[in-house]
Amino acid sequence: MKSSVLAPAPVPHHIAIVMDGNGRWATRRFLPRVAGHKFGVDALRRCVRSCAARGVAVLTVFAFSSENWNRPREEVSGLMELLVVALSREVPQLVKDGVCLRFVGERSGLSASVNAGLVRAEESTESNTRLRLNVCFNYGGRWDIAQAARRLAERGEEITEASLGAAMQMGDFPDPDLIIRTGGEQRISNFLLWQAAYSELYFSDKLWPDFDDEALDSALAAFRRRERRYGKTSEQILARSDSQQAA
Ligand code: FPP
């Protein structure tokens, strides 16, 4: 007899994360906000390894938004320094772990030394295939849509959903299946606006430096309980699942 139980959703192919809460984590410990970002790098390292171990193929993280330039000057320069230091420290291990690193965002606003660091890190990891890590840096979802439209206009191409999607910064990757935001806020904050159309959203109260394997597994368990309908009805999804099981 055929079962009408939905096959459990697999591990998400692509997870995207808004790593929020570093500042509060530090302030609660009477530390400067930049210290929270340093612990945020530790949490990111753990998360990359855990995602790779669980079979996630693409991880995209929001490290610096187009709007983060409005933060206090010392925090902005602290984040830039942290990026350069973190890259020189982390890239050798990323190479060993098979992680391919790519930066997504507006490069022209970044200093020459930061840009050089990004290019070096991308070149050192470009042949890795186990996990793709997209770090959104000086990134905004509206900027991404605008740059895609500009590229199509420059090439004289027609603007369609398919052509615009392909011209987005991560147009060569499937959209995120799951978007996680830590830190208790429930908004998208100009992250992956185009790509989030059918992503499942998951909000965690954990501050990003505290986001551990247990928290990641809770997000994955919540994802498995979701029914992804893409505009269809539950009945259509069940019928499709039944016919797949019968085949
Ligand atoms: C948001 O927390 C976090 C950021 C703006 C930076 C995220 C960066 C990292 C996790 C480290 C990785 C960084 C690099 C440079 C690779 P928040 O500061 O807004 O926290 P709050 O909401 O508690 O103030």
Side-chain angles (χ1 to χ4, degrees):
M1 199 177 94
K2 281 192 293 173
S3 153
S4 285
V5 177
L6 275 176
V11 171
H13 178 84
H14 182 174
I15 297 181
I17 308 184
V18 180
M19 308 180 290
D20 196 15
N22 294 343
R24 278 167 285 165
W25 188 93
T27 305
R28 284 177 197 176
R29 288 163 179 77
F30 306 103
L31 294 169
R33 291 178 57 85
V34 171
H37 298 313
K38 285 189 184 144
F39 281 91
V41 173
D42 296 340
L44 179 54
R45 185 189 311 114
R46 280 197 308 268
C47 187
V48 169
R49 290 210 184 129
S50 302
C51 283
R54 284 156 181 72
V56 174
V58 186
L59 176 64
T60 299
V61 294
F62 206 3
F64 191 85
S65 77
S66 316
E67 291 75 30
N68 285 154
W69 293 107
N70 298 323
R71 292 195 170 201
R73 217 164 37 158
E74 65 275 14
E75 185 172 347
V76 172
S77 58
L79 272 163
M80 296 295 158
E81 262 171 53
L82 183 60
L83 175 65
V84 173
V85 171
L87 287 179
S88 61
R89 196 179 297 149
E90 306 292 335
V91 164
Q93 190 60 45
L94 293 176
V95 171
K96 283 189 198 148
D97 292 343
V99 176
C100 174
L101 184 57
R102 182 171 132 185
F103 290 90
V104 180
E106 174 66 274
R107 302 230 179 163
S108 63
L110 304 174
S111 71
S113 65
V114 169
N115 265 314
L118 305 192
V119 171
R120 252 196 321 273
E122 288 180 329
E123 286 175 356
S124 312
T125 61
E126 69 189 351
S127 58
N128 294 340
T129 55
R130 186 168 181 220
L131 178 98
R132 172 66 165 243
L133 174 60
N134 298 312
V135 176
C136 293
F137 201 87
N138 198 17
Y139 174 87
R142 289 178 175 174
W143 166 82
D144 198 358
I145 295 168
Q147 67 80 34
R150 204 176 310 119
R151 275 163 56 183
L152 292 182
E154 280 165 7
R155 300 199 296 244
E157 282 180 34
E158 192 189 352
I159 294 186
T160 64
E161 285 194 25
S163 67
L164 197 55
M168 305 291 292
Q169 288 281 300
M170 293 188 289
D172 47 345
F173 285 95
D175 291 341
D177 302 290
L178 173 64
I179 297 182
I180 298 171
R181 180 176 184 140
T182 63
E185 310 286 358
Q186 304 200 352
R187 57 176 167 262
I188 206 89
S189 296
N190 201 15
F191 187 45
L192 304 180
L193 297 180
W194 175 273
Q195 299 87 342
Y198 279 102
S199 305
E200 297 296 329
L201 305 181
Y202 179 85
F203 300 101
S204 166
D205 286 334
K206 289 244 181 199
L207 302 178
W208 174 248
D210 293 328
F211 193 81
D212 53 13
D213 280 1
E214 195 186 340
L216 175 65
D217 287 331
S218 298
L220 295 177
F223 177 78
R224 279 194 296 275
R225 290 192 294 272
R226 306 280 174 91
E227 185 190 57
R228 306 191 75 193
R229 291 200 293 271
Y230 300 98
K232 294 184 177 171
T233 66
S234 249
E235 290 69 25
Q236 286 174 299
I237 301 292
L238 279 169
R240 186 161 167 267
S241 157
D242 281 353
S243 65
Q244 278 172 348
Q245 283 180 30

